[in-house]
Amino acid sequence: VCSSFATGPRQYDGTFYEFRTYCLKPSKMNEFLENVKKNIHLRTSHSELVGFWSVEFGGRMNKVFHIWKYDNFAHRIEVRKALAKDKEWQEQFIIPNLPLIDKQEFDITYLVPWCKLEKPPKEGVYELAIFQMKPGGPALWGDAFKRAINAHVNLGYTKLVGVFHTEYGELNRVHVLWWNESMDSRAAGRHRSHEDPRVVAAVRESVNYLVSQQNMLLIPASFSPLK
């Protein structure tokens, strides 16, 4: 009886990903990135950095986006406690960087059950597409959304890095991280996808459950594990 009311596959794996977005004060972007590059080793000694990007297009300027991986919530609690006691991290990163930051946002996300985090074959550019779906969870829109994503993957013009759903933040939100060799290859691939009847059919089905969507073009930082 209970399974008939389930909103999606059960989350057996405790691993989750923290999405952090920082909006920097105008003219402070380069100073912030240089400081992060110089001191990021102090932070990654506590937990794993998946990727760190500057936002090139899409929304507000002077913005960075980064993803951190945790084994479970107990792991994150331990990391935050350790960082609070790390004087080197506090003095070399937190104190000088806080005055440069105008706004901070973060979400807790899980990878969807049918997706694994993939590493691109070489350096390139990334696109984060954010889909706000209708209330109801994956039981309502999950299958249609999966078909739409796979239709793009099967066309081969872009590489899927990961699909994440929000656990804390805006609920019924799905984040899709794509990789492309360049901005121009991304544009050319999008044109092809719009002309492919398989993609068009899958997207038409999925948009029945869509409320809104947005995207950002991301440029990986020199110290980002995902390049």
Side-chain angles (χ1 to χ4, degrees), residues 74-140:
H75 178 211
R76 185 182 184 275
I77 291 172
E78 292 174 1
V79 169
R80 302 310 296 180
K81 287 181 178 179
L83 286 170
K85 298 176 182 178
D86 189 332
K87 292 185 178 180
E88 192 176 12
W89 168 250
Q90 296 288 332
E91 294 174 358
Q92 296 187 30
F93 184 87
I94 297 298
I95 293 175
N97 274 343
L98 277 182
L100 311 181
I101 300 173
D102 187 47
K103 185 180 180 181
Q104 294 175 294
E105 298 177 350
F106 73 96
D107 296 299
I108 298 298
T109 72
Y110 288 106
L111 278 171
V112 298
W114 46 268
C115 175
K116 294 182 179 180
L117 191 64
E118 300 288 349
K119 187 174 182 179
K122 57 182 177 180
E123 293 186 18
V125 298
Y126 292 74
E127 179 182 3
L128 181 67
I130 304 170
F131 300 87
Q132 187 65 46
M133 309 302 289
K134 290 182 179 179
L140 177 66

Side-chain angles (χ1 to χ4, degrees), residues 142-155:
D143 289 342
F145 190 86
K146 179 181 178 180
R147 285 191 287 270
I149 294 299
N150 285 337
H152 286 82
V153 171
N154 294 338
L155 190 58

Side-chain angles (χ1 to χ4, degrees), residues 7 19 65 107-115 127-146 148-149 160 162-178 206 209-216:
T7 58
F19 284 16
F65 172 72
D107 296 299
I108 298 298
T109 72
Y110 288 106
L111 278 171
V112 298
W114 46 268
C115 175
E127 179 182 3
L128 181 67
I130 304 170
F131 300 87
Q132 187 65 46
M133 309 302 289
K134 290 182 179 179
L140 177 66
W141 42 258
D143 289 342
F145 190 86
K146 179 181 178 180
I149 294 299
L160 180 64
V163 181
F164 309 80
H165 65 90
T166 298
E167 180 73 9
Y168 288 98
E170 289 284 346
L171 298 181
N172 296 291
R173 176 169 287 186
V174 187
H175 311 256
V176 183
L177 187 61
W178 301 98
S206 181
Y209 308 102
L210 181 67
V211 176
S212 64
Q213 65 186 90
Q214 64 183 96
N215 67 342
M216 298 185 293

